[in-house]
Amino acid sequence: MEDLQDAIETQDQADILVFRNDIYHAIDLIAGNLKAEIADEVPVFLCVMKGGLMFTAELMKHLQTPLELDYVHVDRYRNTTRGDNLHWHKKPHTDLSNRLVVLIDDIFDEGYTLQELISYCKAEGAGKVLSVVLLKKILEKRHINIEPDFVGLEIEDRYVFGWGMDYKGFWRNLSDVYAVSKE
């Protein structure tokens, strides 16, 4: 349980980067803008697991419109703090042909995950793909030329956890977003 002890110590020393009230306010804004964009369509919401779970659930509460929900399970971190190649655990069951697909993820970092998911949806025949992220890291340079369509909050480039995001598999359940201490 070395990872558990490390996770406890890391959370004890972490900085709160985004408070829950700011998250709820950002979700209100995203929901209003997204509702206008999806208007008369019945979109397929694709939650990007595991990190996008809390955000997807909260966002759906703000949209009183018909939609279908499915998920895709991919990861780059595999309970570590460094990402590598995208690993697919589960593809959606819903037919995406000629559908408006809304990808919902926790964080936009370098863009590799989003790029691959958009490509996947288009290859599956999606009519249109929109991307929604709760957080977007402010980076000096990204190697991928892609941007999410809707962003809740921009944050500094630090390793974060809470609100669906984990630290070595732990702390997804925290109500605020924490950053690993700079120390």
Side-chain angles (χ1 to χ4, degrees):
M1 295 309 282
E2 185 178 312
D3 280 348
L4 174 59
Q5 187 58 39
D6 178 41
I8 291 169
E9 290 172 9
T10 298
Q11 199 273 333
D12 286 343
Q13 298 168 7
D15 306 314
I16 296 180
L17 200 59
V18 183
F19 289 93
R20 68 193 78 175
N21 289 342
D22 296 324
I23 293 169
Y24 291 124
H25 179 71
I27 292 171
D28 283 340
L29 294 175
I30 289 172
N33 292 329
L34 183 59
K35 189 171 186 175
E37 183 74 24
I38 62 177
D40 298 325
E41 302 213 37
V42 179
V44 176
F45 273 34
L46 279 186
C47 173
V48 181
M49 296 293 279
K50 297 177 187 173
L53 179 63
M54 288 178 69
F55 178 41
T56 301
E58 194 61 39
L59 180 61
M60 288 189 339
K61 292 180 199 175
H62 289 76
L63 296 167
Q64 301 300 311
T65 185
L67 58 89
E68 287 186 77
L69 175 65
D70 203 336
Y71 72 97
V72 58
H73 187 176
V74 297
D75 73 73
R76 291 183 54 229
Y77 289 85
R78 295 186 192 95
N79 292 340
T80 68
T81 57
R82 289 212 171 281
D84 59 12
N85 295 327
L86 193 67
H87 179 74
W88 286 81
H89 298 283
K90 190 236 177 236
K91 295 182 178 178
H93 291 294
T94 306
D95 182 4
L96 304 181
S97 300
N98 300 311
R99 299 291 303 274
L100 168 59
V101 177
V102 181
L103 290 167
I104 306 168
D105 204 358
D106 53 1
I107 191 164
F108 181 77
D109 195 340
E110 295 182 33
Y112 295 110
T113 301
L114 183 59
Q115 181 181 44
E116 190 158 334
L117 290 173
I118 290 171
S119 293
Y120 168 80
C121 291
K122 289 180 178 179
E124 292 296 307
K128 183 175 183 179
V129 181
L130 297 175
S131 56
V132 183
V133 296
L134 177 61
L135 303 175
K136 177 184 173 186
K137 284 189 180 180
I138 301 168
L139 302 179
E140 286 184 32
K141 183 177 179 182
R142 284 192 170 77
H143 300 289
I144 292 186
N145 189 23
I146 192 169
E147 291 289 328
D149 297 300
F150 300 92
V151 175
L153 299 160
E154 290 190 338
I155 61 168
E156 60 187 275
D157 185 13
R158 292 175 66 188
Y159 190 90
V160 295
F161 58 94
W163 246 87
M165 295 163 283
D166 73 298
Y167 178 81
K168 296 184 179 179
F170 300 97
W171 299 127
R172 290 183 188 277
N173 55 309
L174 297 175
S175 298
D176 300 303
V177 174
Y178 290 77
V180 173
S181 177
K182 289 183 179 181
E183 296 176 3

